[in-house]
Amino acid sequence: MAIWEVRSPRRSRTLTRLQRWTSNLGLVVLNTVVLRILFPAAAVGMALFTSAQGWGLLNAIDVPGWLAVLIAVVVLDFVVWIQHVLFHAVPALWRLHRVHHADLDYDLTTGARFHPIEIMLSMLIKFAAIAALGPPVVAVILFEVILNGMAMFNHANVRLPLEVDRVLRWFVVTPDMHRVHHSIEDDETNSNFGFNLSWWDRLLGTYRDQPRAGHEGMTIGIRDHRDPRRVDRLDGMLLLPFIGQVTDYAINRRRWEDQPPDARP
């Protein structure tokens, strides 16, 4: 994806790769260490434990193995979608999630840029979903690989032919589809929550086709957090959840009055 970004970028950068990648990848390293210390077995370990205990819906019903894997991957993807909506809807959770959105540029490293506390909460939510669902271990491995790979793909600053994008986004989240979600405009940010399957946004009314300003003209980030020293440096990202009021920019606090009437969905 990094090579693709260099060869065929969708947008011009506002900051250098060295400036952003040092911080974003530094956060990835920190999160990896934290997860290994707190949850050494991670989601796969939870799936092994759940299977051994016979917990969860899929362990209680008789379904073919291939169908159990398919159900598990789709259901876990929906859980991630719900979690994403909640991190926008609850102001205290938005404090954490805005670290992901405050990036002033948008590329594959944005897809791995999350505050350590959000990473820990996400893992606990995943544990709960696995315990309730009882997915096969192979399904959890497959889901983790797909989710992480797709996060790199749909956060990449790459140019897809419009015809290809138009077809792909009926099934999976494309870079152009998810980039809308990183717009500075509140109503655009609160759309296109999917990371992998694009169905949930279409079915549940949060799908937006294109940003009003176009992909080259749209502004990435958060309106009230534009200082690169705070939003694109590691120390600033770690402190960002503790800055500002708790009610800002959550999904139920859209600033409709800032938009002209013809721009409101």
Side-chain angles (χ1 to χ4, degrees), residues 94-106:
W94 171 249
R95 278 184 173 271
L96 301 170
H97 189 59
R98 65 185 181 181
V99 170
H100 177 64
H101 278 266
D103 201 345
L104 297 177
D105 275 323
Y106 182 93

Side-chain angles (χ1 to χ4, degrees), residues 219-231:
T219 302
I220 300 292
I222 301 176
R223 183 176 287 106
D224 299 329
H225 299 281
R226 309 299 301 169
D227 184 352
R229 294 170 297 179
R230 286 194 171 185
V231 300

Side-chain angles (χ1 to χ4, degrees), residues 3-137:
I3 293 172
W4 188 355
E5 285 186 341
V6 172
R7 294 182 62 87
S8 183
R10 185 69 159 100
R11 291 167 47 91
S12 299
R13 297 190 311 275
T14 59
L15 302 175
T16 66
R17 285 193 180 90
L18 178 62
Q19 183 176 357
R20 289 181 52 259
W21 283 30
T22 301
S23 300
N24 288 358
L25 297 179
L27 191 57
V28 172
V29 172
L30 176 61
N31 287 337
T32 301
V33 172
V34 170
L35 285 178
R36 286 293 175 266
I37 293 173
L38 296 179
F39 309 109
V44 175
M46 185 64 181
L48 285 167
F49 178 77
T50 299
S51 178
Q53 300 299 316
W55 291 356
L57 177 64
L58 293 176
N59 285 316
I61 60 177
D62 186 19
V63 295
W66 67 267
L67 183 57
V69 170
L70 180 61
I71 291 172
V73 170
V74 172
V75 170
L76 289 173
D77 190 74
F78 184 50
V79 169
V80 170
W81 185 90
I82 294 173
Q83 173 191 312
H84 195 177
V85 173
L86 285 175
F87 271 83
H88 279 252
V90 179
L93 296 178
W94 171 249
R95 278 184 173 271
L96 301 170
H97 189 59
R98 65 185 181 181
V99 170
H100 177 64
H101 278 266
D103 201 345
L104 297 177
D105 275 323
Y106 182 93
D107 66 16
L108 78 161
T109 65
T110 309
R113 170 188 156 132
F114 295 93
H115 196 275
I117 300 176
E118 179 176 359
I119 289 291
M120 289 186 285
L121 290 176
S122 297
M123 186 60 72
L124 292 174
I125 292 170
K126 195 177 293 183
F127 283 178
I130 291 171
L133 184 61
V137 175

Side-chain angles (χ1 to χ4, degrees), residues 155-176:
H155 283 90
N157 180 31
V158 296
R159 185 180 299 276
L160 276 175
L162 296 180
E163 297 79 9
V164 174
D165 176 86
R166 191 176 299 115
V167 173
L168 273 183
R169 67 167 60 195
W170 279 103
F171 307 99
V172 297
V173 178
T174 65
D176 273 15

